[in-house]
Amino acid sequence: MKLARLIYANSLFCLLAALLVGCGQGTGGGSGAGGGTGSSSSGSNSGGEIKVGEFASLTGKEATFGISSHEGTLLAVEEINAAGGILGKQVKLITEDTQSKPGESATVVNKLIARDSVIAVLGEVASSRSMEAAPICQKNKIPMISPSSTNPKVTESGDYVFRVCFIDPFQGTVMANFATSTLKAKKVAIFTDAKSDYSKGLAKFFKEKYLANGGTISSELDYNGGDKDFKAQLTTIRGGSPDAVFVPGYYTDVALICIQAKQLGLNVPLLGGDGWESEKLTEIGKDSVEGHYFSTHYHPEVGTEISKKFLENYKKRFNGKIPDALAANGYDSMLMLADGIKRAGGTDSAKLRDALAATKDLTLVTGVITINQQRDADKSAVILQIKNGGYKFLESIKP
Amino acid sequence: MTDQLQQLINGLALGSIYALIALGYTMVYGVLRFINFAHGDVFMLGAFAGYFLAEPVAKVIPPQSYLGGIVVLMLAMLICALLGVVIEFLAYRPLRKRPKLTVLITAIGVSLFIEYTCQHKKVFGASPRVFPELIPNTTWELGGLVIGSAQVIVLVTTILLMIALTFIVQRTKIGTAMRAVAFNPQAAALMGVNVNHVISFTFGLGSALAAAAGILFAMNYASIDPLMGVQTGLKAFVAAVLGGIGNLPGAALGGLLLGVVETFAGGMKGISNYRDAIAFGILILILMFRPSGLLGKQQTEKV
């Protein structure tokens, strides 16, 4: 009896509260770190500002990706606003944190669209999380630009989803060619994160190209992202005595893999993709990561006019921090959006989508991009080697 | 052949960590008949205690010395023992007379509480941290076999702690009291045993072992984060059930066995990413065919 009354009172209260608030809040969940999240549920962009949503892994095991990417995006927004905004309107960046967790992207992107009524969404770095958000943006017809998700499937979600980076088939091919021609590796092992679409995609394209180049695969093993013990797999890899090991993973795992490979006496070069690039890799891996190679989007030594300016401004804004590829991609994603809005003459979602799809020869920090039929950016990759705790620029490879 | 031996070494090093944590699960179960699911999180707190203690200790004792390592280990064990006692006092003691299920659910709640509090920016934050090198890290090579100093230390410490634990349980007064409470708490109370003290002591001891395991784990795997106890804790729980929950040698055997099986599975092409599935598959098989575990005795519940 008592309980029934309590439930009744509770539901009545909830109903009243919902009426008062306007039901618009939905989805719930923790509020994101970063940018201000003043939630005005009415009116979209009638005022003097353009609301752009961003979702990034600001905490969690891929936090450095999200933070770099966010800083790049933030710098772009600040520069655009200082120069008078886009079409006379100021840009307001609303940032949500995905905590590097599966499931979280869907929640925060729904929040950005439903509560904040953003006109476009920028994010994420990790392909798995971009693929979670893409169908939501597509359904709501909100253009989404991923700064650094390289899995081909990301833009397959629909015609509202774009990216400013190259894709894994290209990155995998670049590393396979590097292993064959530069390292002269006859036999390689592949060590994949079975939990990550990014890692599996990269491994697949690397393998195809490397076999076509005439190489052999000594062994293929898997791990689960977040594992701490890789010695079991590395012992088997060592048993196949490869000339190099391709580890297309993310930095936290890769650092531990490098340490344990060295402990086991597996002293061959390890190769990876852009998921390696983080200061945490050298911080955790220390001398174990020295001499290994990875492909990525950008290096400060690629000295074009716009990238020099970016390097300078980024250092000024973030206490002398050197921007990495993810920061550059974050910056570029905002520039591409700004360019699209300018050419669309406003923020109408269909017009903006068409303008973004028509992006051609746009000069950005990470190169000159053209959006192709699959809404991916055609542009070049760089190969870096880890040297003395930093990255040494080796070569730049055009598609 | 070398590879198989290497896998055995890898497996024993991993298994001895499981064994240490499993001892805590099994001891609490033995005395109280309930699974303390927050045990894996005490393991994590132990690793973090070591992380924060390393620097102040290094100021007194030169860093990367065995003495310094032992001091950090001891202090972290002490801190976690206190934490274990506090957890028991605040979360479980008020529920002592309630059904076992209530306490079990509370334990899961305590576990989630610790995990998510620690992930907060102002506590530890969710990003992984680099665990400092407590002792000189060397590796020995014997004809293709590689053994790291951290691995040897894990194995040696586990064995030492197990001997100490067996001594405490079998040869001391408090150990006798623990066994008495495990056997029949009411009768033990009538014989003048302070049941609350015994239970607090059990939690403290179990938590101290978890802290030791946390530090040994962190020494072996370099990076620590607030969720490191989830998977490892569950594996250790499987180990405890495998060996026969409530049985101390069983927990040690279960841990070592699980570590070795998991490592061999991890090294096999094609099934390497199913190593966790294999660990939990073992749990299911054990529960189906030998619910009392490998070394456990079949018991009939008195109604």
Side-chain angles (χ1 to χ4, degrees):
Chain A
M1 186 59 208
K2 229 179 189 171
L3 191 70
R5 199 180 295 161
L6 199 71
I7 292 171
Y8 175 70
N10 242 327
S11 51
L12 198 70
F13 176 73
C14 286
L15 198 71
L16 274 172
L19 279 173
L20 281 171
V21 175
C23 292
Q25 306 290 338
T27 48
S31 76
T37 44
S39 60
S40 60
S41 48
S42 63
S44 53
N45 290 290
S46 48
E49 62 182 12
I50 295 172
K51 284 188 195 162
V52 175
E54 187 204 8
F55 66 111
S57 52
L58 299 172
T59 56
K61 73 185 179 67
E62 280 118 45
T64 72
F65 286 167
I67 291 166
S68 284
S69 190
H70 170 66
E71 286 173 353
T73 314
L74 192 66
L75 181 66
V77 169
E78 286 170 0
E79 285 179 13
I80 289 167
N81 285 341
I86 309 169
L87 304 173
K89 287 180 182 176
Q90 292 283 299
V91 177
K92 187 180 173 198
L93 186 70
I94 302 167
T95 307
E96 290 283 346
D97 182 12
T98 62
Q99 302 168 29
S100 312
K101 265 195 239 155
E104 204 61 30
S105 314
T107 313
V108 298
V109 169
N110 267 318
K111 207 150 81 175
L112 285 172
I113 294 173
R115 183 197 62 193
D116 301 319
S117 3
V118 297
I119 58 108
V121 172
L122 304 176
E124 235 260 32
V125 172
S127 295
S128 313
R129 294 194 289 275
S130 289
M131 278 154 75
E132 248 178 54
I136 297 166
C137 293
Q138 178 67 26
K139 206 177 84 200
N140 290 291
K141 300 220 180 314
I142 298 292
M144 163 176 157
I145 305 174
S146 168
S148 310
S149 288
T150 48
N151 191 296
K153 284 192 216 147
V154 171
T155 49
E156 281 170 19
S157 299
D159 59 352
Y160 275 80
V161 186
F162 301 86
R163 74 177 113 215
V164 285
C165 54
F166 52 66
I167 55 174
D168 290 335
F170 173 60
Q171 197 177 189
T173 307
V174 165
M175 283 322 276
N177 288 340
F178 178 76
T180 319
S181 39
T182 310
L183 291 181
K184 310 255 181 278
K186 302 257 185 308
K187 241 189 340 180
V188 301
I190 300 178
F191 195 21
T192 319
D193 177 358
K195 260 190 192 167
S196 141
D197 293 317
Y198 160 79
S199 183
K200 283 190 285 188
L202 210 49
K204 176 170 166 263
F205 301 111
F206 174 88
K207 187 182 167 189
E208 278 170 13
K209 185 66 187 173
Y210 186 71
L211 289 175
N213 286 348
T216 44
I217 307 284
S218 68
S219 47
E220 277 178 83
L221 286 124
D222 299 310
Y223 63 92
N224 285 315
D227 277 358
K228 302 276 185 198
D229 180 82
F230 302 96
K231 285 202 175 117
Q233 290 96 321
L234 288 169
T235 301
T236 305
I237 288 176
R238 191 187 68 172
S241 46
D243 300 322
V245 185
F246 185 56
V247 192
Y250 292 132
Y251 59 87
T252 323
D253 300 328
V254 171
L256 295 184
I257 289 170
C258 292
I259 293 173
Q260 293 174 26
K262 197 181 172 209
Q263 281 171 355
L264 285 171
L266 182 66
N267 294 317
V268 296
L270 304 189
L271 317 174
D274 56 334
W276 280 36
E277 190 171 353
S278 161
E279 71 261 29
K280 282 267 174 198
L281 181 76
T282 40
E283 189 192 321
I284 300 174
K286 300 206 183 72
D287 56 334
S288 309
V289 296
E290 282 289 309
H292 299 325
Y293 307 89
F294 63 95
S295 60
T296 188
H297 309 265
Y298 159 86
H299 187 269
E301 281 174 29
V302 185
T304 56
E305 204 53 47
I306 179 170
S307 88
K308 272 186 209 152
K309 213 181 102 204
F310 167 70
L311 176 64
E312 214 171 278
N313 292 346
Y314 188 91
K315 280 207 302 208
K316 215 180 286 165
R317 173 70 175 78
F318 299 107
N319 311 321
K321 192 175 159 194
I322 307 279
D324 57 11
L326 301 155
N329 276 342
Y331 186 83
D332 282 358
S333 67
M334 186 60 221
L335 288 198
M336 176 174 153
L337 179 66
D339 174 70
I341 297 172
K342 263 182 226 157
R343 280 185 294 106
T347 55
D348 174 72
S349 81
K351 276 188 197 147
L352 178 56
R353 191 221 80 84
D354 292 343
L356 288 172
T359 303
K360 198 165 180 290
D361 295 331
L362 179 64
T363 309
L364 299 174
V365 170
T366 57
V368 180
I369 68 153
T370 296
I371 292 299
N372 65 19
Q373 285 293 302
Q374 287 77 45
R375 295 171 302 286
D376 303 326
D378 275 331
K379 68 180 193 193
S380 49
V382 295
I383 292 180
L384 308 181
Q385 184 180 28
I386 302 163
K387 267 271 147 88
N388 306 322
Y391 304 134
K392 197 177 132 213
F393 174 68
L394 288 188
E395 50 191 305
S396 175
I397 294 162
K398 290 211 161 56
Chain B
M1 189 57 209
T2 328
D3 281 355
Q4 302 303 320
L5 272 177
Q6 181 70 54
Q7 294 293 35
L8 192 65
I9 295 169
N10 298 341
L12 287 175
L14 182 65
S16 49
I17 290 168
Y18 289 159
L20 265 188
I21 313 172
L23 286 173
Y25 273 113
T26 234
M27 242 173 9
V28 169
Y29 183 86
V31 173
L32 277 177
R33 296 277 177 276
F34 102 96
I35 312 283
N36 177 19
F37 272 110
H39 196 64
D41 302 300
V42 177
F43 158 82
M44 176 273 291
L45 290 171
F48 272 91
Y51 173 88
F52 290 111
L53 283 169
E55 210 178 308
V57 168
K59 279 185 188 138
V60 188
I61 304 159
Q64 295 199 18
S65 62
Y66 285 95
L67 183 64
I70 292 168
V71 170
V72 170
L73 187 78
M74 291 293 187
L75 285 176
M77 284 172 79
L78 193 69
I79 290 172
C80 283
L82 289 176
L83 266 171
V85 171
V86 170
I87 289 172
E88 194 274 329
F89 184 77
L90 292 179
Y92 305 142
R93 187 166 296 181
L95 302 171
R96 187 80 51 75
K97 301 263 153 53
R98 301 289 174 83
K100 289 281 180 276
L101 190 64
T102 318
V103 191
L104 191 74
I105 293 166
T106 308
I108 296 172
V110 170
S111 164
L112 291 173
F113 174 77
I114 296 176
E115 281 158 24
Y116 286 89
T117 312
C118 291
Q119 276 194 81
H120 192 275
K121 281 198 287 292
K122 296 213 169 84
V123 188
F124 300 152
S127 303
R129 289 164 186 249
V130 187
F131 195 76
E133 276 183 26
L134 290 181
I135 49 150
N137 227 335
T138 41
T139 44
W140 295 286
E141 271 198 67
L142 304 159
L145 283 184
V146 183
I147 306 171
S149 50
Q151 283 177 312
V152 176
I153 286 164
V154 168
L155 207 58
V156 170
T157 316
T158 307
I159 293 169
L160 287 180
L161 287 173
M162 253 181 246
I163 293 171
L165 189 63
T166 315
F167 178 79
I168 290 172
V169 174
Q170 300 295 342
R171 293 269 188 275
T172 60
K173 210 170 152 194
I174 185 87
T176 314
M178 275 166 75
R179 282 181 289 140
V181 172
F183 190 72
N184 188 333
Q186 281 85 22
L190 288 175
M191 298 313 284
V193 174
N194 188 332
V195 176
N196 278 340
H197 281 182
V198 171
I199 289 172
S200 289
F201 181 78
T202 310
F203 266 89
L205 200 57
S207 301
L209 290 177
I215 287 186
L216 294 173
F217 187 85
M219 263 164 54
N220 237 352
Y221 300 115
S223 97
I224 57 172
D225 61 83
L227 292 184
M228 65 189 274
V230 180
Q231 190 78 338
T232 320
L234 275 176
K235 293 270 181 64
F237 168 64
V238 174
V241 176
L242 175 65
I245 194 142
N247 183 310
L248 290 178
L253 177 74
L256 291 176
L257 213 58
L258 188 71
V260 171
V261 170
E262 199 195 304
T263 304
F264 274 97
M268 265 178 236
K269 289 166 199 172
I271 60 165
S272 52
N273 64 326
Y274 292 109
R275 56 194 289 187
D276 296 344
I278 287 164
F280 296 116
I282 290 176
L283 176 67
I284 293 169
L285 286 178
I286 278 285
L287 290 177
M288 276 168 75
F289 296 109
R290 207 183 149 79
S292 53
L294 294 176
L295 298 188
K297 286 187 209 77
Q298 212 77 37
Q299 277 181 345
T300 40
E301 288 267 323
K302 269 183 280 181
V303 183

